[in-house]
């Protein structure tokens, strides 16, 4: 009988895509998820005999082998049997055979080559049927990345846009982000990120064999999203100068960054800061099939020496002494959480895992962080892999401010055990609202359980050198003190102080506020008030001083007084960063040597609104109206709207804005034609050479065409 040949393969992309939730991927090859069967139909040169079976072979990566689980050989049967790869006959009609292939739920993810031969043709070489891509499967109960809630899978795996929370603890602002994991080339780029990692370059076969494990894959991605140890995707920059690249605040999503990395032949893209690293990593991990979300931590500690204390040194005007201050407290910091089982730690630590691609500290010689179990952080189990001490400090460290004297002595002027790790936030499932998840990271501040966990973490960190809070620390000046001594309450303060805004702090306007002082005693107090102010980055790193003045204040018994403060726009406009943040400080020197430090972080406000004028439907143009306000008391020109959104535009759209008179409100209209249904995010930024970008976004619900 003549040999049998496969003349055509139908990969059944539509059927398989719907079953595997992969129909949105635009790549030419089939994309499926592990632990779940998929079908393909083979057209044959003749009908096979009843005793003939087909033998399939799948291979991924270089030097694929069955020993490394990167190769499997299996044959058709009437049923799907066994723990490895299986093939079962679904239907046969004359010269057409439909088979169902299934991978194990712990299969290596990546691009596979599928080959076939007939059992009776042992001397003949395999016939290559083509390539397909295998992803993690949060819908499969046996997969380590399994997530039980369908609503959460829709949000954390399939949603291609999201919200990143920025700002300060008392003024949290939402920023839209286009993850775009289903855009052109993104899946291929995500697989390339794995292939460009140092581990793959050094030992590709072993590296690929480890890609069954979400712990391994997420740790590689955490390192590769930043460029510090490799030709990773994004280069960080925190100096406020972005020559030769793009300001981190100008990015509106991950797609342009990842595509630029590919087109630039894997040259790191300039520049990113924490929310950019987190946005890109969220894209990559959702694309690969791991449920992932973006998390913002306000008043986030960067504890360089892991002593659970952030020590800030200031001068007599409350200005940060950068040469002495190694630790820092950022206004906010953004990282990721991914959902998977911790086979290395045990089921108690399954669930959300912290991953951070921002290059802050090295982990095992590489700039990366995580995965660290959120449960382990909450319970103080900082000894568990990976990077528990750093993450624990980010949300739990104590905050201490020291006045540095000219004789190189220091004096504690402020301490707070509750300031770090506030309003830990993420986007809600199925809506744009903010969800506070602080209770996932720690017990209520000041509670008995929280103090027990803190003591447990200290013991884990210092193993024998610490008992409870007694932590030996060495700081600038070479003095050694016990940590608990530093946090003992000082004598009862005789005055209190607080900055109060007298009107909203608007971009382009003078700042008007007051320092309110109150004498808590029944005696007259003489107070020297040293005021300072600086434009800052969101890391609270000062950029330029904009206020420096002193006042002598006499406070009568139980008296309250206000010191008015005005900072003109001309004072701050040249040095205001795109973060639009200002830090004010007042060092109050009271009689008898008492000192009070008062600080306030200010974020300048702006205005933009976006309206959709009519119903949105796939394939039908709809008008969008954007209203903006010139924030300045001067005429501005050369403004533009930058528009981006998956499912609306193939590439970023730029729309000129007419010249704006001082504080003029203007509306601009343009049309978009949706290409995808469902809730879609449209981002619109007002960009000008005269002031920082004003960012806005809107969620548009797009109906399918009738």
């Amino acid at each position: 009988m003549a040999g049998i040949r496969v003349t055509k393969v139908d990969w059944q992309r539509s059927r398989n895509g719907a079953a595997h939730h992969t129909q949105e991927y635009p790549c030419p090859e089939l994309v499926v998820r592990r632990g779940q069967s998929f079908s393909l139909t083979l057209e044959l040169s003749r009908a096979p005999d009843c005793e003939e079976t087909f033998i399939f072979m799948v291979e991924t990566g270089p030097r694929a082998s069955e020993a490394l689980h990167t190769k499997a050989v299996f044959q058709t049967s009437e049923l799907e049997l066994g723990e490895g790869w299986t093939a079962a006959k679904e239907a046969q009609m004359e010269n057409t055979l439909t088979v169902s292939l299934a991978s194990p739920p712990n299969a290596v993810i990546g691009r596979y080559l599928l080959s076939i031969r007939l059992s009776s043709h042992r001397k003949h070489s395999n016939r290559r049927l083509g390539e397909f891509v295998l992803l993690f499967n949060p819908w499969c109960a046996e997969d380590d990345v399994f997530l039980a809630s369908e609503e959460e899978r829709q949000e954390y795996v399939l949603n291609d846009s999201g919200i990143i929370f920025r700002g300060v603890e008392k003024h949290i602002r939402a920023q839209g982000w286009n993850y775009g994991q289903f855009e052109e080339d993104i899946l291929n780029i995500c697989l390339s990120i794995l292939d460009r990692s140092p581990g793959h370059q050094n030992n590709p076969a072993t590296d690929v064999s480890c890609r069954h494990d979400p712990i391994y894959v997420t740790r590689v991605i955490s390192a590769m999203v930043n460029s510090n140890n490799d030709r990773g995707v994004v280069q960080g920059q925190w100096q406020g100068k972005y020559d030769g690249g793009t300001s981190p605040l100008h990015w509106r999503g991950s797609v342009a960054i990842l595509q630029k990395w590919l087109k630039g032949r894997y040259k790191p893209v300039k520049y990113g800061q924490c929310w950019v690293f987190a946005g890109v990593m969220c894209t990559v991990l959702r694309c690969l099939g791991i449920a992932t979300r973006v998390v913002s931590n306000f008043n986030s500690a960067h504890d360089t020496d892991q002593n659970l204390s952030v020590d800030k040194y200031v001068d007599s005007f409350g200005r940060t002494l950068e040469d002495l201050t190694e630790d820092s407290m950022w206004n906010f910091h953004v990282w990721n959480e991914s959902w998977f089982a911790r086979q290395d730690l045990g089921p108690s630590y399954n669930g959300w895992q912290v991953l951070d691609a921002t290059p802050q500290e090295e982990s095992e010689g590489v700039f990366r962080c995580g995965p660290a179990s959120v449960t382990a952080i909450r319970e103080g189990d900082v000894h568990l892999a990976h990077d528990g001490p750093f993450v624990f400090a980010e949300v739990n460290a104590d905050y201490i401010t020291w006045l540095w004297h000219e004789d190189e002595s220091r004096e504690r002027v402020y301490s707070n055990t509750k300031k770090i790790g506030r309003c830990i936030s993420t986007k809600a499932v199925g809506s744009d609202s903010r969800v506070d998840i602080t209770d996932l990271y720690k017990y209520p501040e000041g509670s008995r359980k929280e103090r027990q966990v803190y003591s447990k973490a200290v013991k884990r960190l210092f193993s024998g050198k610490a008992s409870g809070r007694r932590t030996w620390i060495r700081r600038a000046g070479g003095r050694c003190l016990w940590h608990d001594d530093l946090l003992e309450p000082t004598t009862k303060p005789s005055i209190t102080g607080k900055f109060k805004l007298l009107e909203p702090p608007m971009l382009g306007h003078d700042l008007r506020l007051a320092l309110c002082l109150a004498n808590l005693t029944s005696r007259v107090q003489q107070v020297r008030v040293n005021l300072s102010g600086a434009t800052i980055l969101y890391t609270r790193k000062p950029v330029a001083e904009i206020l420096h003045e002193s006042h002598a204040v006499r406070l009568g018994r139980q008296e309250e007084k206000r010191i008015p403060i005005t900072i003109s726009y001309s004072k701050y406009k040249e040095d205001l960063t795109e973060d639009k943040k200002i830090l004010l400080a007042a060092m109050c020197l009271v009689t008898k040597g008492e000192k009070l430090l008062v600080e306030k972080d200010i974020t300048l406000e702006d205005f933009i609104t976006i309206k959709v004028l009519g119903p949105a439907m796939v394939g039908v143009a709809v008008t969008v109206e954007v209203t903006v306000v010139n924030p300045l008391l001067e005429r501005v020109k050369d403004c533009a709207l930058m528009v981006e959104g998956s499912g609306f535009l193939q590439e970023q759209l730029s729309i000129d804005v007419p010249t704006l008179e001082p504080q003029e409100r203007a509306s601009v209209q343009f049309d978009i034609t949706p290409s995808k249904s469902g809730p879609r995010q449209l981002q619109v930024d007002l960009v000008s050479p005269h002031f920082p970008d004003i960012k806005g976004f809107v969620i548009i619900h797009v109906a399918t065409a009738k």
Side-chain angles (χ1 to χ4, degrees):
M1 183 179 289
I4 190 169
R5 292 178 293 105
V6 177
T7 58
K8 186 179 178 181
V9 182
D10 178 1
W11 292 88
Q12 299 195 28
R13 283 176 56 95
S14 178
R15 174 187 173 189
N16 290 321
H20 287 252
H21 309 277
T22 56
Q23 63 269 46
E24 295 289 337
Y25 290 99
C27 38
E29 63 266 74
L30 178 67
V31 181
V32 291
R33 300 186 187 276
R34 67 185 191 177
Q36 184 176 340
S37 63
F38 61 96
S39 302
L40 64 158
T41 299
L42 309 176
E43 287 192 13
L44 309 171
S45 59
R46 64 166 175 81
D49 295 336
C50 58
E51 70 275 5
E52 291 181 308
T53 59
F54 287 96
I55 297 176
F56 293 90
M57 182 170 69
V58 291
E59 302 171 278
T60 183
R63 301 192 300 280
S65 74
E66 292 176 281
L68 291 174
H69 304 288
T70 52
K71 175 183 176 181
V73 180
F74 51 100
Q75 65 182 28
T76 51
S77 65
E78 297 301 324
L79 299 170
E80 292 181 6
L81 300 171
E83 297 181 356
W85 286 81
T86 61
K89 292 180 182 179
E90 278 189 12
Q92 184 174 336
M93 293 179 60
E94 297 182 353
N95 294 5
T96 302
L97 176 67
T98 300
V99 294
S100 173
L101 306 185
S103 63
N106 62 346
V108 168
I109 61 107
R111 180 172 282 103
Y112 277 81
L113 173 65
L114 176 63
S115 304
I116 189 174
R117 66 179 170 85
L118 198 62
S119 59
S120 58
H121 294 178
R122 300 185 184 280
K123 295 182 180 179
H124 292 272
S125 61
N126 292 336
R127 155 83 155 86
R128 295 163 64 110
L129 298 181
E131 294 184 339
F132 66 95
V133 176
L134 190 69
L135 303 178
F136 290 104
N137 192 353
W139 283 264
C140 174
E142 290 77 34
D143 195 317
D144 280 351
V145 305
F146 173 66
L147 182 61
S149 165
E150 177 60 23
E151 286 185 342
E152 291 185 347
R153 292 191 294 246
Q154 292 291 326
E155 179 70 52
Y156 299 135
V157 183
L158 299 182
N159 195 350
D160 61 2
S161 65
I163 293 170
I164 299 175
F165 295 99
R166 305 172 60 251
V168 294
E169 174 194 352
K170 295 181 179 178
H171 189 67
I172 296 172
R173 304 191 67 174
Q175 172 187 337
W177 192 266
N178 176 25
Y179 297 124
Q181 66 266 35
F182 303 118
E183 294 297 301
E184 200 71 40
D185 291 330
I186 297 302
L187 177 55
N188 286 335
I189 294 169
C190 294
L191 294 174
S192 295
I193 291 173
L194 293 172
D195 289 344
R196 302 296 301 180
S197 70
H200 187 80
Q201 300 293 311
N202 295 333
N203 194 335
T206 301
D207 168 72
V208 171
S209 73
C210 293
R211 294 182 188 175
H212 69 283
D213 183 2
I215 301 170
Y216 179 84
V217 170
T218 56
R219 196 151 166 79
V220 169
I221 296 299
S222 171
M224 283 299 296
V225 167
N226 71 70
S227 66
N228 283 45
N229 302 100
D230 41 58
R231 289 171 66 85
V233 179
V234 181
Q235 181 175 326
Q237 173 61 278
W238 282 270
Q239 303 306 316
K241 297 177 182 178
Y242 309 113
D243 298 338
T246 300
S247 160
L249 271 165
H250 289 185
W251 299 115
R252 295 164 191 89
S254 310
V255 177
I257 295 170
L258 291 166
Q259 290 177 341
K260 187 170 184 178
W261 183 69
L262 176 66
K263 291 174 183 175
R265 297 185 178 182
Y266 312 113
K267 184 178 180 181
V269 177
K270 301 176 180 179
Y271 292 103
Q273 289 173 0
C274 66
W275 67 91
V276 179
F277 292 108
V280 171
M281 186 151 71
C282 188
T283 297
V284 175
L285 295 180
R286 286 188 185 183
C287 187
L288 296 177
I290 300 175
T292 302
R293 62 187 184 184
V294 172
V295 172
S296 300
N297 177 38
F298 291 88
N299 294 348
S300 188
H302 183 174
D303 181 20
T304 57
D305 55 5
Q306 294 186 1
N307 72 335
L308 296 184
S309 171
V310 170
D311 298 280
K312 176 182 174 181
Y313 292 85
V314 299
D315 65 9
S316 60
F317 277 77
R319 295 173 296 192
T320 303
L321 299 173
E322 293 185 76
D323 55 336
L324 296 177
T325 303
E326 299 172 358
D327 297 336
S328 58
M329 182 191 75
W330 296 12
N331 285 144
F332 67 93
H333 180 48
V334 185
W335 59 68
N336 299 95
E337 288 176 0
S338 290
W339 181 277
F340 50 85
R342 291 303 297 265
Q343 300 292 354
D344 56 332
L345 305 181
S348 298
Y349 302 99
N350 292 351
W352 291 116
Q353 313 292 326
V354 172
L355 294 151
D356 192 348
T358 300
Q360 295 184 93
E361 298 291 332
E362 290 186 343
S363 171
E364 297 177 336
V366 177
F367 279 96
R368 60 187 169 188
C369 182
S373 163
V374 173
T375 298
I377 299 304
R378 188 183 69 232
E379 300 301 329
D381 295 327
V382 294
H383 62 296
L384 300 176
H386 294 276
D387 308 310
F390 186 79
V391 178
F392 186 89
E394 286 183 305
V395 299
N396 280 296
D398 294 327
Y399 185 74
I400 305 174
T401 304
W402 303 89
L403 173 61
W404 188 255
H405 296 289
E406 291 183 359
D407 63 358
E408 296 193 351
S409 64
R410 66 178 185 173
E411 181 180 356
R412 179 165 56 93
V413 291
Y414 179 85
S415 63
N416 193 332
T417 63
K418 302 178 182 179
K419 189 178 183 70
I420 299 291
R422 309 286 292 180
C423 302
I424 304 175
S425 305
T426 192
K427 176 188 176 299
V429 173
S431 80
D432 300 336
S433 58
R434 181 181 72 86
V435 177
D436 192 306
I437 57 171
T438 307
D439 61 342
L440 296 184
Y441 281 83
K442 52 187 178 181
Y443 292 94
E445 289 282 9
S447 67
R448 182 179 179 184
K449 184 66 175 177
E450 186 264 340
R451 290 293 87 193
Q452 289 173 345
V453 167
Y454 189 98
S455 297
K456 176 183 177 182
V458 167
K459 290 176 182 177
R460 295 284 193 191
L461 280 173
F462 298 96
S463 58
K465 291 187 289 186
S467 175
R469 269 185 174 272
R470 291 190 65 82
T471 305
W472 190 256
I473 65 174
R474 182 183 298 274
R475 270 294 193 259
R479 294 179 60 202
C480 295
L481 300 97
W482 288 107
H483 195 179
D484 55 350
D485 296 335
L486 304 179
L487 296 175
E488 288 174 359
T490 55
T491 54
K492 188 176 180 179
S494 64
I495 67 167
T496 62
K498 183 179 181 179
F499 283 109
K500 183 177 181 180
L501 287 163
L502 302 181
E503 56 187 49
M506 299 299 296
L507 174 65
H509 293 219
D510 294 351
L511 283 176
R512 289 180 171 49
L513 62 158
L515 175 65
C516 305
L517 295 177
N519 184 357
L520 302 178
T521 71
S522 55
R523 64 179 185 275
V524 174
Q525 300 264 46
Q526 301 291 337
V527 184
R528 165 65 61 179
V529 178
N530 294 337
L531 290 168
S532 67
T535 57
I536 59 171
L537 302 172
Y538 80 98
T539 60
R540 296 185 108 214
K541 178 183 173 65
V543 175
E545 188 171 69
I546 58 173
L547 176 68
H548 183 90
E549 58 188 45
S550 289
H551 300 265
V553 180
R554 182 182 184 275
L555 289 175
R557 301 173 181 178
Q558 308 291 328
E559 184 183 11
E560 296 183 7
K561 274 189 178 179
R562 285 187 172 190
I563 301 174
I565 303 165
T566 299
I567 303 174
S568 66
Y569 173 59
S570 61
K571 278 277 189 183
Y572 71 77
K573 72 174 184 178
E574 297 299 329
D575 298 303
L576 186 68
T577 72
E578 292 176 332
D579 294 309
K580 293 179 274 203
K581 294 186 187 300
I582 289 171
L583 176 62
L584 298 179
M587 182 69 78
C588 304
L589 310 174
V590 195
T591 2
K592 297 186 178 179
E594 182 186 342
K595 297 172 182 66
L596 172 71
L597 176 64
V598 184
E599 290 185 324
K600 187 172 185 64
D601 291 271
I602 297 172
T603 302
L604 300 180
E605 298 176 8
D606 49 40
F607 177 88
I608 187 170
T609 63
I610 308 164
K611 291 183 179 179
V612 183
L613 307 181
M617 187 176 298
V618 172
V620 180
V622 65
T623 300
V624 177
E625 181 179 75
V626 179
T627 303
V628 297
V629 174
N630 174 9
L632 307 185
L633 298 171
E634 58 191 55
R635 193 180 192 213
V636 296
K637 55 183 181 179
D638 302 325
C639 296
L641 296 178
M642 306 302 295
V643 186
E644 181 175 320
S646 286
F648 292 119
L649 302 164
Q650 292 292 328
E651 56 187 25
Q652 188 172 268
L653 179 65
S654 177
I655 301 166
D656 291 337
V657 175
T659 298
L660 296 171
E661 297 301 322
Q663 296 187 310
E664 180 187 0
R665 180 185 296 252
S667 294
V668 177
Q669 293 186 357
F670 57 91
D671 289 347
I672 56 172
T673 303
S675 59
K676 295 180 180 180
S677 61
R680 295 284 160 189
Q681 185 185 92
L682 185 72
Q683 295 182 60
V684 185
D685 294 358
L686 176 63
V687 176
S688 167
H690 308 286
F691 50 80
D693 290 4
I694 297 175
K695 308 178 79 66
F697 70 93
V698 65
I699 302 297
I700 303 173
H701 292 270
V702 181
T704 54
K706 294 181 180 178

